[in-house]
Amino acid sequence: MKKIKKVLLFILIGIVSIPVFIMAYYFISWKHTEIDPYLAKNPIYKAFDQQKQRTIFESDSENVKSNNFKIKVKNQTGEEYYSCAVYDQKYNLEIIFKAGDGFSGGGYKIQNLGNRYKIDHYSYTDNPSSHTPEEYTKLLESKLILDKSAYKKGDPIFGYVRFKFQKNYGLEKYFEEGEGFFKGIVQ
């Protein structure tokens, strides 16, 4: 009888500890999202309305500019070729900055859940056999500002993001910094 009670106690501890660990992970590794209800009044967004979005092919698309997101790697600044898309993923908001040729590409993905977010690298390809090993990446600092705390499909979104990643380590270590304003419609 005592053995059964001990086993049941361990099972109960296991069941209770799983949600505790999930919540701890959420609060420790997901950063706090700042809310600025006046962000949409920033003059940068009016300037976007007067400009066309640049593409990777160094031409202007027909789309109105949605962001001025730039990446700086090893003291070189990348152009504003990133397109910005925002998706309502039922439980979280997903903001993707991507650049590519339609067959493959990459960028950054921000997942916003409640009032917290995390930023990761993003890549896609149509060639499933082109698997490359992932390199060491660590997010050193980040900031996300949105104009509202909650969105639904069809809502306009205005935001600002800044981050710094460390890539690799040792003699191959370098830093990747991104920053920019963005706007869009939640899809």
Side-chain angles (χ1 to χ4, degrees), residues 147-165:
D147 64 321
K148 296 190 311 188
S149 60
Y151 298 90
K152 61 184 185 302
K153 288 185 181 185
D155 283 351
I157 183 171
F158 297 88
Y160 169 81
V161 64
R162 183 183 72 229
F163 58 80
K164 182 177 183 179
F165 280 101

Side-chain angles (χ1 to χ4, degrees), residues 103-118:
F103 300 106
S104 65
Y108 305 89
K109 177 171 53 173
I110 304 168
Q111 293 177 308
N112 190 67
L113 177 63
N115 63 349
R116 301 187 83 76
Y117 72 94
K118 77 175 189 173

Side-chain angles (χ1 to χ4, degrees), residues 55-71:
T55 67
I56 195 167
F57 304 109
E58 297 189 22
S59 64
D60 290 340
S61 71
E62 294 300 313
N63 299 327
V64 172
K65 191 170 187 174
S66 65
N67 69 85
N68 66 353
F69 184 72
K70 291 183 181 180
I71 293 294

Side-chain angles (χ1 to χ4, degrees), residues 19-149:
V20 170
F21 284 123
I22 290 171
M23 292 299 293
Y25 171 76
Y26 174 73
F27 284 106
I28 291 171
S29 56
W30 289 53
K31 307 291 185 208
H32 180 72
T33 305
E34 293 182 32
I35 305 300
D36 179 359
Y38 302 107
L39 187 63
K41 297 182 189 295
N42 190 315
I44 192 79
Y45 297 113
K46 289 201 186 297
F48 285 176
D49 293 340
Q50 308 303 318
Q51 301 169 356
K52 299 293 182 187
Q53 187 71 44
R54 299 285 318 249
T55 67
I56 195 167
F57 304 109
E58 297 189 22
S59 64
D60 290 340
S61 71
E62 294 300 313
N63 299 327
V64 172
K65 191 170 187 174
S66 65
N67 69 85
N68 66 353
F69 184 72
K70 291 183 181 180
I71 293 294
K72 184 178 178 183
V73 179
K74 296 181 183 178
N75 296 324
Q76 297 178 352
T77 302
E79 293 294 322
E80 301 168 20
Y81 298 139
Y82 289 90
S83 64
C84 179
V86 183
Y87 302 101
D88 179 4
Q89 297 289 351
K90 194 172 183 179
Y91 297 110
N92 70 317
L93 188 69
E94 189 173 76
I95 304 164
I96 298 176
F97 293 97
K98 62 182 174 181
D101 58 10
F103 300 106
S104 65
Y108 305 89
K109 177 171 53 173
I110 304 168
Q111 293 177 308
N112 190 67
L113 177 63
N115 63 349
R116 301 187 83 76
Y117 72 94
K118 77 175 189 173
I119 300 175
D120 290 312
H121 285 84
Y122 167 81
S123 65
Y124 68 93
T125 182
D126 67 344
N127 185 356
S129 66
S130 66
H131 179 70
T132 57
E134 292 186 24
E135 59 186 343
Y136 172 81
T137 301
K138 181 179 180 182
L139 182 64
L140 300 175
E141 60 185 64
S142 66
K143 182 176 192 170
L144 177 66
I145 303 173
L146 298 176
D147 64 321
K148 296 190 311 188
S149 60

